[in-house]
Amino acid sequence: MTIKKLSWIHLNMPRARYKQLVDQFACRIRSGELSPGTQLPTHRQLAAREGLALVTASRVYAELEQMGLVSGETGRGTFVRETALPLGHGIDQPPATEGMIDLNFNSPSIPGQTDMLRQALRQLSISGDLESLLHYQPHAGRQHERAIVATHLQQRGLKVTAEQVFLVSGAQHGLAATVMSLLQPGDVVAVDALTYSGFKVLAEVHRLELVAVAVNDAGPDLQALEQLCRKRRVKAVYTMPTLHNPLGWVMDTTQRQQLIAIARRYNLLIIEDAAYAFLADNPPPPLITLAPELTVYVSGLSKNVATGFRIGFIVAPDRCVPLIERTIRATTWNTPALMTAISCGWIEDGTVARLETEKRRDARARQSIAREALAGLDYVAHPASYFIWLRLPEEARADQIAMELIKANISVSTAEPFAIADHAPHAIRLALGSVDPDTLKTALTKVREVIGRYLY
């Protein structure tokens, strides 16, 4: 038979039955006939009703899930999703629109920071070093500025030299430079089952395979990590031991030592994300202090100074230095000299330390507002963090809650952007740091009101 005849037969064959069902369900969902939250028949019920094999019925729901129209939940069933809900927290979601109360992104700010920046720019304008800021900088940063950052990090418990410090364009760039330098597409990376959404997107872009490690309210299940390393060739573990985002835990010293023991046993690279670590009072030593030969430490000034200050730090073992420096050269050449100069000036004159103290106080005050507004609901949070992980009652669905809040001009994130498993838990993350305290109280009261409808 000729290729031409084969093509004609293919084009005129009736569409597969399961495709017709997919189209029917999609049409009914998009038209609103099947409203968000509607529970669909079980796989077996659908198969019996339509005269299909069970595997074919499962294929129908799998394709609808890939289209983002339904979600399947173990032990509960398959439900119509809220398709009007904007994309979740992370690089895919636009900033909150004007008039929207933003409980999605954190941009903590202290009164007076604008005047501080104005004064810093004046001071810099009369400095004798101004002309040098017009030229290319060394890829890892100027030596004296790396030394300033090293001293700053020593106050956080890191035993670090200037030669180990790289200046980058924010902590997210620091994570990207680390991944690009030290991992290859296809590498397996162990991560918490709920983790920072920015690393999840970064792994997708770099084609890493993220494998979830079960978590509880106190930290990761390290026995599960050990079992994973026995079964798979894990290359690295990404972790936030000091003030985890989104769950807020601080791993104790015993947990840190156990994690390091596993990393040494299986020769894992440890990527330690310390973006929010400044909020925790007197935490255990950073992992890089306990295992400097295995650990890359990443942090920055976005949360403790300002989100517009895209200055970050990488601290890495000596063997990683040439690789990371080359990646910085390939991605940004060097950090913006003007912002780096201001940032290092603020580190030296104590401004950064003062802002960190004020933001710890501010975060505690906001957590106090949240405790009062959300009393009785099931949530976890560190007492000095800028976010809350709020579990929803069995009767509630995260997408419906988020959509109801958007209609009330409140933007929140569902669990989906943070979840590594296919099926995210029904929970929302509330960012507390981007609105004034009175607005925060009003918004959290509304969150409680919406969730309360599902409790009674």
Side-chain angles (χ1 to χ4, degrees), residues 118-139:
R118 188 174 289 112
Q119 179 61 32
L121 289 169
R122 288 197 193 103
Q123 190 66 32
L124 192 62
S125 70
I126 60 173
S127 71
D129 193 37
L130 194 60
E131 184 178 354
S132 68
L133 305 183
L134 298 176
H135 304 290
Y136 286 125
Q137 309 295 301
H139 307 308

Side-chain angles (χ1 to χ4, degrees), residues 40-97:
L40 300 181
T42 67
H43 294 217
R44 291 187 182 279
Q45 288 171 340
L46 179 63
R49 190 183 77 186
E50 301 293 337
L52 304 172
L54 180 59
V55 67
T56 305
S58 298
R59 192 176 178 187
V60 170
Y61 284 161
E63 189 152 330
L64 289 168
E65 192 161 0
Q66 287 179 348
M67 295 164 68
L69 298 177
V70 305
S71 62
E73 301 165 25
T74 304
R76 296 187 69 187
T78 302
F79 296 83
V80 176
R81 294 186 62 172
E82 177 55 81
T83 56
L85 186 66
L87 292 168
H89 176 278
I91 64 169
D92 294 319
Q93 184 177 22
T97 56

Side-chain angles (χ1 to χ4, degrees), residues 271-401:
I271 303 174
E272 180 176 12
D273 185 340
Y276 283 101
F278 75 96
L279 289 170
D281 286 321
N282 302 314
L287 296 175
I288 193 169
T289 299
L290 302 174
E293 79 283 8
L294 294 176
T295 307
V296 176
Y297 177 97
V298 180
S299 187
L301 298 182
S302 293
K303 304 304 181 186
N304 51 353
V305 175
T307 51
F309 262 64
R310 305 310 300 163
I311 300 298
F313 327 126
I314 303 174
V315 181
D318 292 340
R319 62 184 171 83
C320 302
V321 167
L323 296 170
I324 293 175
E325 187 167 349
R326 182 174 176 80
T327 299
I328 294 171
R329 177 181 181 180
T331 53
T332 61
W333 195 273
N334 59 259
T335 54
L338 183 64
M339 284 198 294
T340 305
I342 293 174
S343 300
C344 287
W346 280 355
I347 290 173
E348 282 196 297
D349 69 12
T351 297
V352 170
R354 185 171 70 254
L355 285 172
E356 289 180 344
T357 298
E358 291 182 14
K359 289 190 179 183
R360 280 192 290 271
R361 188 182 304 120
D362 178 60
R364 287 185 178 277
R366 290 167 184 269
Q367 286 287 342
S368 179
I369 292 171
R371 278 196 300 275
E372 181 177 347
L374 304 176
L377 298 183
D378 182 14
Y379 72 86
V380 292
H382 186 277
S385 78
Y386 275 114
F387 42 80
I388 276 175
W389 186 254
L390 179 56
R391 302 185 186 100
L392 299 176
E394 184 69 19
E395 300 80 8
R397 295 181 51 77
D399 53 350
Q400 288 181 294
I401 295 289

Side-chain angles (χ1 to χ4, degrees), residues 132-154:
S132 68
L133 305 183
L134 298 176
H135 304 290
Y136 286 125
Q137 309 295 301
H139 307 308
R142 295 190 292 181
Q143 186 66 18
H144 75 280
E145 291 174 332
R146 294 168 74 186
I148 290 169
V149 172
T151 300
H152 169 67
L153 294 174
Q154 286 166 9

Side-chain angles (χ1 to χ4, degrees), residues 11-231:
L11 289 171
N12 285 274
M13 286 176 64
R15 298 192 69 196
R17 174 67 175 137
Y18 92 91
K19 281 287 190 183
Q20 293 175 356
L21 284 173
V22 169
D23 290 346
Q24 289 170 11
F25 273 118
C27 182
R28 294 175 69 193
I29 291 169
R30 288 169 176 150
S31 70
E33 181 185 345
L34 291 176
S35 59
T38 299
Q39 185 170 7
L40 300 181
T42 67
H43 294 217
R44 291 187 182 279
Q45 288 171 340
L46 179 63
R49 190 183 77 186
E50 301 293 337
L52 304 172
L54 180 59
V55 67
T56 305
S58 298
R59 192 176 178 187
V60 170
Y61 284 161
E63 189 152 330
L64 289 168
E65 192 161 0
Q66 287 179 348
M67 295 164 68
L69 298 177
V70 305
S71 62
E73 301 165 25
T74 304
R76 296 187 69 187
T78 302
F79 296 83
V80 176
R81 294 186 62 172
E82 177 55 81
T83 56
L85 186 66
L87 292 168
H89 176 278
I91 64 169
D92 294 319
Q93 184 177 22
T97 56
E98 186 175 353
M100 185 73 69
I101 299 173
D102 189 1
L103 302 186
N104 194 337
F105 292 96
N106 262 323
S107 185
S109 180
I110 299 298
Q113 284 192 231
T114 302
D115 289 336
M116 288 166 45
L117 177 60
R118 188 174 289 112
Q119 179 61 32
L121 289 169
R122 288 197 193 103
Q123 190 66 32
L124 192 62
S125 70
I126 60 173
S127 71
D129 193 37
L130 194 60
E131 184 178 354
S132 68
L133 305 183
L134 298 176
H135 304 290
Y136 286 125
Q137 309 295 301
H139 307 308
R142 295 190 292 181
Q143 186 66 18
H144 75 280
E145 291 174 332
R146 294 168 74 186
I148 290 169
V149 172
T151 300
H152 169 67
L153 294 174
Q154 286 166 9
Q155 295 168 0
R156 289 194 184 178
L158 278 71
K159 300 173 184 176
V160 59
T161 65
E163 288 70 28
Q164 293 174 281
V165 173
F166 300 86
L167 304 184
V168 290
S169 297
Q172 183 69 24
H173 179 225
L175 292 173
T178 300
V179 165
M180 293 174 67
S181 303
L182 306 178
L183 298 174
Q184 296 294 324
D187 280 348
V188 175
V189 180
V191 295
D192 300 318
L194 293 166
T195 195
Y196 167 51
S197 58
F199 189 79
K200 183 179 170 183
V201 173
L202 174 61
E204 180 184 343
V205 170
H206 199 60
R207 295 181 175 85
L208 302 177
E209 181 184 354
L210 298 187
V211 181
V213 175
V215 296
N216 55 45
D217 292 351
D221 183 341
L222 296 175
Q223 288 185 341
L225 175 60
E226 175 103 39
Q227 291 170 0
L228 172 63
C229 292
R230 288 174 184 162
K231 296 176 181 177

